[in-house]
Amino acid sequence: MWSLRTIGLSAVGLALVGGLAITAFRTDPIPVDTAPLVRGALSVTVDADGKTRIREVYEVSSPIAGTVLRLPVAVGDPVAKGVTVVAQVQPAVPTLLDARSRAQAVAALHEAEASVKFAEAEVARTEAQRAYAQSQFDRAKALADRGTASLTALETAAQQLQLAEADKLSAEARLAMSRAALESAQAVLAEPEQAPGDGDCCLPILAPADGVVLSVEGESARPVMAGAPLLSIGDPDDLEIVVDLLSSQATRLAPGASVEVGRWGGEGTLAAELRLIEPAARTVVSALGIEEQRVDAVLDFTSPPEMRAGLGQAYAVFVRIEEWRTEDALLIPLSAIFRREGQWFTYVLADGTAHEISIEIGRRDGRSAEVLAGVKAGDRVILHPPDTVGDGVEVVERDWQ
């Protein structure tokens, strides 16, 4: 028979063993990070690298062939429209003729001299004809006035006088043409002369706009052809931004969209506005060998120039172009949602337990998503849920203090 003391000791022993077993096999709550769901503004942006460029760049070229003298300006020098001389071009010196060209030029000169002599003879002949026609007209008019000659004879004399005057004018014009041809032939044979070195010998080129010199093709004197570029001028305060986008991104944007400009080298961010998406795209092969259709978007700064001091031509920037925005959205961190079988889920912390909730989300940015259904403001969701967390699992909010 068991004594009462033995039974009591046995019961206590069994209780201790049971307690130890329960303690050994019980799972501790899993520590997790949480965040409350709040309502706030959400904007979806297209992020891309861009570069600045001066809105109006003037390329100065040589208007004539010749030798451009050493440029009087350098990169960074300020220039004034119509005042500052940015280049001087000395006209090209005629080249020497080879033996064949000289022989042809000499023959052309002789031909021109003969043509002048012939034209002078024609002028002399037509002057004599006109003098004779004038005398005949005067005689016929005198006889007609006395009634001894008919009106027909007078009209005939007047016509002959007019023809003689016309022949004289034609001969004088041919003489002028022949003399011009003679001068041209003489110019071909003229020996080239070395142009003087003062400024009067050259064609000065003035700055086409106010601004600074952006680049020069060469500072030293050199021969140039007509149309050869010499330097470029622009106003560094009149900047815009050009961004290279995928055509699929550009179709989601509209002119007037606000832009945030960062990574420009200065403090804070700058504001800009989308002005233009170019109508034609181009095919670009990416670094991976994939053909892409890309298009340029042009942005205008809305921040005052004093806030972007230091920016210049072709400086690198990073832009966020706003595609969509709302001021009142239920926001959930992207780190709190996961996808399974085409459906979005999150874990909500309630009464120390993780509850798996199916949710519907809308637009997303790089940090948060818009919740359309499934949870409400104030719910605490688990961030970066580990694999050990599941529906109904006990969890505890991690204390970082």
Side-chain angles (χ1 to χ4, degrees):
M1 294 295 296
W2 293 86
S3 66
L4 185 61
R5 183 166 180 255
T6 302
I7 294 173
L9 292 174
S10 299
V12 171
L14 290 174
L16 288 174
V17 172
L20 291 174
I22 292 173
T23 302
F25 290 100
R26 187 181 67 181
T27 303
D28 293 332
I30 300 173
V32 293
D33 298 322
T34 65
L37 298 185
V38 296
R39 304 195 72 90
L42 178 68
S43 66
V44 178
T45 61
V46 174
D47 302 344
D49 293 316
K51 63 180 180 180
T52 60
R53 70 181 181 190
I54 293 177
R55 194 186 308 273
E56 297 289 345
V57 176
Y58 295 85
E59 299 289 343
V60 180
S61 303
S62 174
I64 60 173
T67 300
V68 60
L69 304 184
R70 186 174 182 84
L71 295 184
V73 293
V75 174
D77 288 351
V79 295
K81 179 180 179 180
V83 176
T84 307
V85 176
V86 296
Q88 298 181 77
V89 181
Q90 179 179 297
V93 177
T95 59
L96 294 173
L97 299 176
D98 54 40
R100 175 181 295 178
S101 298
R102 174 168 289 278
Q104 292 175 342
V106 169
L109 177 62
H110 293 164
E111 180 181 0
E113 291 172 344
S115 178
V116 169
K117 292 179 179 179
F118 177 78
E120 290 173 346
E122 282 293 301
V123 169
R125 182 182 64 80
T126 55
E127 286 179 348
Q129 286 182 344
R130 183 195 175 284
Y132 176 74
Q134 182 68 50
S135 65
Q136 290 295 104
F137 173 78
D138 293 341
R139 185 178 298 110
K141 188 175 184 303
L143 293 175
D145 291 341
R146 292 196 299 267
T148 58
S150 65
L151 292 177
T152 301
L154 179 61
E155 292 174 352
T156 301
Q159 182 183 19
Q160 293 298 324
L161 177 60
Q162 292 177 352
L163 293 174
E165 290 177 345
D167 288 342
K168 179 177 179 296
L169 292 175
S170 177
E172 290 175 346
R174 286 196 295 270
L175 176 59
M177 293 172 59
S178 298
R179 286 173 175 170
L182 176 61
E183 292 176 358
S184 177
Q186 290 172 340
V188 173
L189 286 171
E191 293 295 332
E193 298 178 358
Q194 183 66 34
D198 57 15
D200 296 336
C201 73
C202 303
L203 173 66
I205 302 176
L206 302 179
D210 295 332
V212 300
V213 178
L214 301 177
S215 64
V216 296
E217 294 299 321
E219 297 181 354
S220 300
R222 67 189 189 282
V224 293
M225 300 297 294
L230 302 178
L231 70 160
S232 61
I233 294 172
D235 183 2
D237 291 332
D238 188 19
L239 288 176
E240 62 185 10
I241 303 173
V242 58
V243 183
D244 183 23
L245 300 175
L246 289 171
S247 59
S248 57
Q249 294 176 320
T251 55
R252 305 199 305 265
L253 302 175
S258 61
V259 182
E260 182 182 283
V261 183
R263 303 182 197 170
W264 60 279
E267 296 183 358
T269 59
L270 303 175
E273 183 179 89
L274 176 61
R275 173 166 57 90
L276 170 70
I277 295 177
E278 294 188 351
R282 60 189 181 278
T283 302
V284 177
V285 179
S286 69
L288 299 177
I290 301 173
E291 287 190 354
E292 300 174 340
Q293 296 303 116
R294 306 194 72 90
V295 63
D296 284 342
V298 182
L299 318 176
D300 289 332
F301 281 106
T302 54
S303 296
E306 55 268 20
M307 290 186 61
R308 47 185 168 88
L311 274 181
Q313 170 81 336
Y315 280 37
V317 295
F318 180 79
V319 300
R320 298 181 185 272
I321 308 174
E322 191 170 80
E323 175 189 341
W324 174 87
R325 181 178 182 84
T326 181
E327 297 298 331
D328 185 26
L330 180 58
L331 303 179
I332 185 172
L334 291 179
S335 59
I337 62 177
F338 58 95
R339 192 173 180 84
R340 185 172 65 239
E341 297 179 355
Q343 179 65 42
W344 289 101
F345 295 89
T346 188
Y347 287 111
V348 175
L349 174 61
D351 300 327
T353 305
H355 299 276
E356 184 178 278
I357 305 296
S358 174
I359 62 174
E360 181 181 349
I361 67 172
R363 295 178 180 264
R364 292 169 285 173
D365 63 7
R367 296 162 299 195
S368 304
E370 176 190 22
V371 181
L372 303 179
V375 290
K376 63 184 183 300
D379 289 346
R380 299 194 71 85
V381 293
I382 299 176
L383 304 178
H384 305 286
D387 294 339
T388 53
V389 173
D391 189 29
V393 174
E394 292 186 3
V395 295
V396 62
E397 191 170 355
R398 184 180 283 115
D399 185 6
W400 290 100
Q401 295 182 353

